Short mmCIF file of all heavy atoms in Angstrom, two decimals:
data_model
loop_
_atom_site.label_atom_id
_atom_site.label_comp_id
_atom_site.label_asym_id
_atom_site.label_seq_id
_atom_site.Cartn_x
_atom_site.Cartn_y
_atom_site.Cartn_z
N ILE A 356 214.70 173.67 294.02
CA ILE A 356 215.69 172.98 293.13
C ILE A 356 217.01 172.71 293.86
O ILE A 356 217.75 171.83 293.47
CB ILE A 356 215.98 173.76 291.82
CG1 ILE A 356 216.53 175.14 292.20
CG2 ILE A 356 214.74 173.85 290.95
CD1 ILE A 356 217.33 175.70 291.00
N ASP A 357 217.29 173.46 294.92
CA ASP A 357 218.57 173.20 295.64
C ASP A 357 218.43 172.19 296.79
O ASP A 357 219.36 171.99 297.55
CB ASP A 357 219.14 174.52 296.20
CG ASP A 357 218.15 175.29 297.00
OD1 ASP A 357 217.00 174.79 297.20
OD2 ASP A 357 218.45 176.42 297.43
N ALA A 358 217.22 171.56 296.90
CA ALA A 358 217.02 170.64 298.00
C ALA A 358 217.66 169.29 297.80
O ALA A 358 218.02 168.61 298.81
CB ALA A 358 215.52 170.45 298.23
N VAL A 359 217.83 168.88 296.58
CA VAL A 359 218.27 167.52 296.28
C VAL A 359 219.36 167.61 295.20
O VAL A 359 219.29 168.40 294.28
CB VAL A 359 217.10 166.68 295.72
CG1 VAL A 359 217.52 165.35 295.17
CG2 VAL A 359 216.07 166.49 296.83
N LYS A 360 220.37 166.73 295.31
CA LYS A 360 221.46 166.70 294.32
C LYS A 360 221.39 165.45 293.46
O LYS A 360 220.87 164.42 293.92
CB LYS A 360 222.80 166.79 295.03
CG LYS A 360 223.04 168.10 295.74
CD LYS A 360 224.42 168.16 296.40
CE LYS A 360 224.58 169.54 297.02
NZ LYS A 360 223.52 169.88 298.00
N THR A 361 221.93 165.54 292.28
CA THR A 361 221.95 164.39 291.37
C THR A 361 222.62 163.17 292.10
O THR A 361 223.63 163.33 292.74
CB THR A 361 222.78 164.75 290.14
OG1 THR A 361 222.22 165.86 289.55
CG2 THR A 361 222.84 163.58 289.14
N GLY A 362 221.95 162.04 291.94
CA GLY A 362 222.54 160.80 292.46
C GLY A 362 222.07 160.49 293.86
O GLY A 362 222.38 159.38 294.36
N GLU A 363 221.41 161.41 294.55
CA GLU A 363 220.98 161.08 295.91
C GLU A 363 219.86 160.04 295.87
O GLU A 363 219.06 159.98 294.96
CB GLU A 363 220.44 162.35 296.62
CG GLU A 363 221.59 163.27 297.05
CD GLU A 363 221.12 164.28 298.10
OE1 GLU A 363 220.50 165.28 297.72
OE2 GLU A 363 221.43 164.06 299.31
N ARG A 364 219.83 159.21 296.95
CA ARG A 364 218.85 158.18 297.06
C ARG A 364 217.70 158.67 297.97
O ARG A 364 217.93 159.11 299.09
CB ARG A 364 219.43 156.89 297.63
CG ARG A 364 220.31 156.18 296.58
CD ARG A 364 221.16 155.12 297.19
NE ARG A 364 220.46 154.10 297.95
CZ ARG A 364 219.85 153.05 297.41
NH1 ARG A 364 219.87 152.86 296.09
NH2 ARG A 364 219.24 152.15 298.21
N ALA A 365 216.45 158.58 297.42
CA ALA A 365 215.31 159.23 298.10
C ALA A 365 214.21 158.24 298.45
O ALA A 365 213.93 157.27 297.68
CB ALA A 365 214.75 160.33 297.21
N LEU A 366 213.57 158.52 299.57
CA LEU A 366 212.35 157.83 299.96
C LEU A 366 211.21 158.87 299.93
O LEU A 366 211.40 160.00 300.40
CB LEU A 366 212.52 157.33 301.41
CG LEU A 366 211.22 156.86 302.14
CD1 LEU A 366 210.71 155.57 301.49
CD2 LEU A 366 211.45 156.70 303.61
N VAL A 367 210.07 158.54 299.33
CA VAL A 367 208.91 159.43 299.35
C VAL A 367 207.92 158.90 300.41
O VAL A 367 207.65 157.69 300.40
CB VAL A 367 208.22 159.48 297.96
CG1 VAL A 367 207.00 160.38 298.03
CG2 VAL A 367 209.16 159.92 296.90
N ILE A 368 207.46 159.77 301.27
CA ILE A 368 206.51 159.36 302.32
C ILE A 368 205.21 160.17 302.28
O ILE A 368 205.29 161.37 302.12
CB ILE A 368 207.21 159.44 303.71
CG1 ILE A 368 206.26 159.08 304.88
CG2 ILE A 368 207.80 160.75 304.00
CD1 ILE A 368 206.30 157.64 305.23
N ASP A 369 204.12 159.48 302.41
CA ASP A 369 202.84 160.17 302.54
C ASP A 369 201.96 159.31 303.47
O ASP A 369 202.31 158.16 303.76
CB ASP A 369 202.17 160.35 301.16
CG ASP A 369 201.15 161.48 301.18
OD1 ASP A 369 200.85 162.05 302.24
OD2 ASP A 369 200.62 161.79 300.07
N ASP A 370 200.82 159.89 303.91
CA ASP A 370 199.97 159.10 304.78
C ASP A 370 199.21 158.04 304.01
O ASP A 370 198.97 156.93 304.53
CB ASP A 370 198.99 159.96 305.56
CG ASP A 370 197.95 160.61 304.69
OD1 ASP A 370 198.27 160.99 303.55
OD2 ASP A 370 196.78 160.69 305.12
N LEU A 371 198.80 158.37 302.79
CA LEU A 371 197.83 157.48 302.12
C LEU A 371 198.04 157.51 300.63
O LEU A 371 198.36 158.56 300.06
CB LEU A 371 196.40 158.00 302.49
CG LEU A 371 195.22 157.23 301.90
CD1 LEU A 371 194.09 157.22 302.94
CD2 LEU A 371 194.72 157.93 300.63
N VAL A 372 197.87 156.38 299.97
CA VAL A 372 197.84 156.33 298.51
C VAL A 372 196.48 155.85 298.07
O VAL A 372 195.97 154.81 298.57
CB VAL A 372 198.98 155.50 297.92
CG1 VAL A 372 199.04 154.08 298.45
CG2 VAL A 372 198.94 155.49 296.40
N ALA A 373 195.82 156.61 297.16
CA ALA A 373 194.52 156.19 296.65
C ALA A 373 194.71 155.91 295.11
O ALA A 373 194.95 154.79 294.74
CB ALA A 373 193.47 157.27 296.92
N THR A 374 194.68 156.96 294.30
CA THR A 374 194.89 156.76 292.87
C THR A 374 196.39 156.66 292.51
O THR A 374 196.76 156.14 291.43
CB THR A 374 194.33 157.95 292.06
OG1 THR A 374 195.08 159.09 292.31
CG2 THR A 374 192.87 158.17 292.36
N GLY A 375 197.22 157.17 293.36
CA GLY A 375 198.65 157.17 293.07
C GLY A 375 199.14 158.44 292.38
O GLY A 375 200.33 158.63 292.16
N GLY A 376 198.22 159.35 292.02
CA GLY A 376 198.59 160.54 291.30
C GLY A 376 199.55 161.42 292.08
O GLY A 376 200.51 161.97 291.51
N THR A 377 199.35 161.57 293.36
CA THR A 377 200.18 162.45 294.18
C THR A 377 201.62 161.86 294.25
O THR A 377 202.59 162.57 294.10
CB THR A 377 199.61 162.56 295.59
OG1 THR A 377 198.25 162.97 295.51
CG2 THR A 377 200.40 163.54 296.45
N LEU A 378 201.70 160.55 294.50
CA LEU A 378 203.05 159.94 294.58
C LEU A 378 203.77 159.98 293.23
O LEU A 378 205.02 160.17 293.17
CB LEU A 378 202.98 158.50 295.08
CG LEU A 378 202.57 158.31 296.53
CD1 LEU A 378 202.53 156.81 296.88
CD2 LEU A 378 203.56 158.98 297.46
N SER A 379 203.02 159.82 292.12
CA SER A 379 203.69 159.91 290.81
C SER A 379 204.29 161.31 290.60
O SER A 379 205.38 161.43 290.05
CB SER A 379 202.61 159.67 289.68
OG SER A 379 202.26 158.32 289.67
N ALA A 380 203.57 162.35 291.03
CA ALA A 380 204.11 163.70 290.94
C ALA A 380 205.35 163.84 291.77
O ALA A 380 206.35 164.46 291.35
CB ALA A 380 203.04 164.72 291.33
N ALA A 381 205.37 163.27 292.97
CA ALA A 381 206.50 163.36 293.84
C ALA A 381 207.73 162.64 293.22
O ALA A 381 208.84 163.21 293.22
CB ALA A 381 206.19 162.72 295.19
N ILE A 382 207.50 161.49 292.63
CA ILE A 382 208.57 160.74 291.95
C ILE A 382 209.12 161.62 290.80
O ILE A 382 210.35 161.74 290.63
CB ILE A 382 208.04 159.40 291.42
CG1 ILE A 382 207.72 158.48 292.57
CG2 ILE A 382 209.09 158.74 290.45
CD1 ILE A 382 206.92 157.21 292.16
N GLY A 383 208.20 162.25 290.06
CA GLY A 383 208.60 163.09 288.93
C GLY A 383 209.49 164.23 289.36
O GLY A 383 210.55 164.48 288.74
N LEU A 384 209.17 164.88 290.44
CA LEU A 384 210.00 165.99 290.96
C LEU A 384 211.42 165.51 291.29
O LEU A 384 212.42 166.15 290.92
CB LEU A 384 209.35 166.62 292.18
CG LEU A 384 208.10 167.43 291.98
CD1 LEU A 384 207.49 167.81 293.33
CD2 LEU A 384 208.35 168.65 291.15
N LEU A 385 211.49 164.44 292.02
CA LEU A 385 212.79 163.94 292.48
C LEU A 385 213.67 163.49 291.31
O LEU A 385 214.88 163.76 291.24
CB LEU A 385 212.61 162.82 293.50
CG LEU A 385 212.09 163.31 294.85
CD1 LEU A 385 211.34 162.25 295.61
CD2 LEU A 385 213.26 163.89 295.70
N GLU A 386 213.01 162.79 290.38
CA GLU A 386 213.80 162.28 289.19
C GLU A 386 214.25 163.41 288.32
O GLU A 386 215.36 163.34 287.75
CB GLU A 386 212.98 161.25 288.47
CG GLU A 386 212.84 159.93 289.29
CD GLU A 386 212.27 158.78 288.48
OE1 GLU A 386 211.47 159.02 287.53
OE2 GLU A 386 212.51 157.63 288.86
N ARG A 387 213.45 164.44 288.19
CA ARG A 387 213.88 165.58 287.36
C ARG A 387 215.17 166.23 287.98
O ARG A 387 215.97 166.84 287.22
CB ARG A 387 212.74 166.62 287.27
CG ARG A 387 211.76 166.22 286.17
CD ARG A 387 210.49 167.04 286.27
NE ARG A 387 210.69 168.48 286.12
CZ ARG A 387 209.76 169.40 286.38
NH1 ARG A 387 208.54 168.99 286.75
NH2 ARG A 387 210.04 170.65 286.20
N MET A 388 215.33 166.16 289.25
CA MET A 388 216.55 166.68 289.91
C MET A 388 217.68 165.68 289.94
O MET A 388 218.71 165.91 290.54
CB MET A 388 216.24 167.20 291.33
CG MET A 388 215.28 168.37 291.37
SD MET A 388 215.70 169.74 290.24
CE MET A 388 217.33 170.14 290.81
N GLY A 389 217.44 164.51 289.32
CA GLY A 389 218.50 163.51 289.23
C GLY A 389 218.58 162.61 290.43
O GLY A 389 219.57 161.79 290.56
N ALA A 390 217.62 162.65 291.32
CA ALA A 390 217.64 161.73 292.47
C ALA A 390 217.09 160.38 292.04
O ALA A 390 216.34 160.24 291.10
CB ALA A 390 216.78 162.28 293.61
N GLU A 391 217.49 159.34 292.79
CA GLU A 391 217.00 158.00 292.57
C GLU A 391 215.94 157.73 293.63
O GLU A 391 216.26 157.72 294.83
CB GLU A 391 218.16 157.00 292.67
CG GLU A 391 217.73 155.57 292.49
CD GLU A 391 218.81 154.57 292.91
OE1 GLU A 391 219.93 155.00 293.09
OE2 GLU A 391 218.50 153.40 293.04
N VAL A 392 214.72 157.49 293.23
CA VAL A 392 213.66 157.16 294.18
C VAL A 392 213.73 155.65 294.50
O VAL A 392 213.47 154.80 293.64
CB VAL A 392 212.27 157.53 293.63
CG1 VAL A 392 211.14 157.10 294.62
CG2 VAL A 392 212.19 159.05 293.38
N VAL A 393 214.10 155.37 295.72
CA VAL A 393 214.31 153.95 296.13
C VAL A 393 212.98 153.30 296.41
O VAL A 393 212.74 152.11 296.02
CB VAL A 393 215.15 153.95 297.42
CG1 VAL A 393 215.29 152.53 297.98
CG2 VAL A 393 216.51 154.56 297.18
N GLU A 394 212.02 154.02 297.03
CA GLU A 394 210.69 153.44 297.33
C GLU A 394 209.75 154.58 297.74
O GLU A 394 210.20 155.66 298.16
CB GLU A 394 210.87 152.45 298.51
CG GLU A 394 209.64 151.61 298.80
CD GLU A 394 209.97 150.27 299.46
OE1 GLU A 394 210.28 149.32 298.77
OE2 GLU A 394 209.94 150.24 300.74
N CYS A 395 208.45 154.32 297.60
CA CYS A 395 207.43 155.19 298.19
C CYS A 395 206.81 154.46 299.35
O CYS A 395 206.54 153.25 299.26
CB CYS A 395 206.32 155.52 297.17
SG CYS A 395 206.91 156.49 295.77
N ALA A 396 206.54 155.17 300.48
CA ALA A 396 205.98 154.54 301.64
C ALA A 396 204.76 155.26 302.12
O ALA A 396 204.76 156.49 302.17
CB ALA A 396 207.06 154.48 302.72
N CYS A 397 203.74 154.51 302.46
CA CYS A 397 202.49 155.11 302.97
C CYS A 397 202.00 154.31 304.14
O CYS A 397 202.24 153.07 304.24
CB CYS A 397 201.40 155.09 301.89
SG CYS A 397 201.71 156.24 300.59
#
Side-chain angles (χ1 to χ4, degrees):
I356 60 155
D357 52 4
V359 171
K360 293 182 179 53
T361 301
E363 285 198 279
R364 285 166 57 80
L366 166 70
V367 179
I368 176 93
D369 203 354
D370 68 322
L371 180 143
V372 55
T374 67
T377 307
L378 289 180
S379 289
I382 292 167
L384 289 173
L385 288 155
E386 289 192 334
R387 278 167 60 191
M388 294 313 300
E391 179 192 348
V392 176
V393 175
E394 190 155 274
C395 296
C397 289

